[in-house]
Amino acid sequence: HAMKLIVKFNLVFIVVFLLGLAAAGSVSNQLLQRNARDEIVLNARLVMEAALATRAYTSTQVGPLLQTQMKYKFLPQSIPAYSAREVFNGLSKAFPEYAYKEAALNPTNPGNRANDWEADIINRFRNTADAREVVGERDTPNGGSFYIARPIQIKDGACLYCHSTVDAAPKTFVERYGPANG
């Protein structure tokens, strides 16, 4: 009788132990997944802020220095988006898992033309005026891809020099990109 009781107790103990172990494993997995995602979001935001800081630097310090030369030859180094892209290209050599794109429906630079999923996000920003950021994941042929998107908004009047009408844009800019991309 005592032996049967010990076996029953051990079986109940093992079942309770396995249930506890499974529950602890599930909670640990969820915490690790959440921490990994938070770290990815933090790193992606850091990369994005570096690109935005590069844009601001180019806009306020580099662009004005090149204005006179722009009358004779278009210099892409004067364009904030170009500078951000170049800096990111340097970063991507060390961090190839990150990508940066200033996607637009009708971009000046054809390399920034939005693909289908990016166009969906752009339209979401257009339809939701107070949206500041979209964070998500999408399936790709290479597996899941995490993204952070923010709307491109012209807040600096100096940007309208090239991004308003073809007539307002520098002649050398229109010569490079053509009137259709104005």
Side-chain angles (χ1 to χ4, degrees), residues 68-96:
T68 301
Q69 294 174 352
M70 289 283 286
K71 293 176 184 173
Y72 308 105
K73 180 181 178 191
F74 177 75
L75 300 169
Q77 294 81 2
S78 67
I79 306 300
Y82 175 87
S83 295
R85 184 84 208 140
E86 288 298 303
V87 168
F88 185 81
N89 286 342
L91 281 173
S92 68
K93 290 175 184 167
F95 301 100

Side-chain angles (χ1 to χ4, degrees), residues 19-95:
L19 288 174
L21 186 62
S26 175
V27 168
S28 295
N29 184 46
Q30 288 175 2
L31 287 174
L32 288 172
Q33 292 289 333
R34 187 177 323 133
N35 286 344
R37 183 179 168 91
D38 290 349
E39 186 173 335
I40 289 169
V41 169
L42 179 65
N43 289 341
R45 284 187 176 135
L46 181 61
V47 168
M48 187 174 286
E49 290 301 326
L52 294 174
T54 301
R55 287 181 61 109
Y57 169 76
T58 301
S59 180
T60 60
Q61 296 185 40
V62 176
L65 294 174
L66 298 176
Q67 284 304 314
T68 301
Q69 294 174 352
M70 289 283 286
K71 293 176 184 173
Y72 308 105
K73 180 181 178 191
F74 177 75
L75 300 169
Q77 294 81 2
S78 67
I79 306 300
Y82 175 87
S83 295
R85 184 84 208 140
E86 288 298 303
V87 168
F88 185 81
N89 286 342
L91 281 173
S92 68
K93 290 175 184 167
F95 301 100

